[in-house]
Amino acid sequence: MTFDSEGNLYLIGKGVFVFDKNGKQIEHIDVPESWTANVSFGGKDHRTLFITASTRLYSIQTRNRGANVAK
């Protein structure tokens, strides 16, 4: 589980589910595996979402930065 700079929550399961501050699901990131294990923001600008799954590591670019990025 992780948060982005807009307060959106990223939860794992069958892919990654994204919920806004009010708890409304706003996105689902499909992952071609039976389950996902963890998510975390990283990269130079903290806009890369890393997703660990049953056999691989995936990454996607996002619009928002990860929350609480050290400066």
Side-chain angles (χ1 to χ4, degrees), residues 1-70:
M1 158 175 93
T2 193
F3 288 92
D4 68 20
S5 60
E6 298 296 316
N8 298 316
L9 173 65
Y10 295 70
L11 292 175
I12 56 161
K14 179 65 176 140
V16 180
F17 297 88
V18 185
F19 297 88
D20 68 11
K21 294 184 236 186
N22 299 312
K24 179 182 175 189
Q25 184 178 337
I26 57 172
E27 192 170 346
H28 176 261
I29 302 167
D30 191 36
V31 176
E33 305 241 7
S34 59
W35 60 271
T36 52
N38 202 359
V39 289
S40 182
F41 282 95
K44 284 186 177 184
D45 60 1
H46 294 276
R47 293 181 195 271
T48 303
L49 183 67
F50 292 97
I51 305 164
T52 57
S54 54
T55 64
R56 296 193 173 142
L57 171 66
Y58 298 89
S59 66
I60 63 167
Q61 292 300 118
T62 62
R63 292 184 304 268
N64 299 328
R65 294 168 51 111
N68 299 323
V69 176

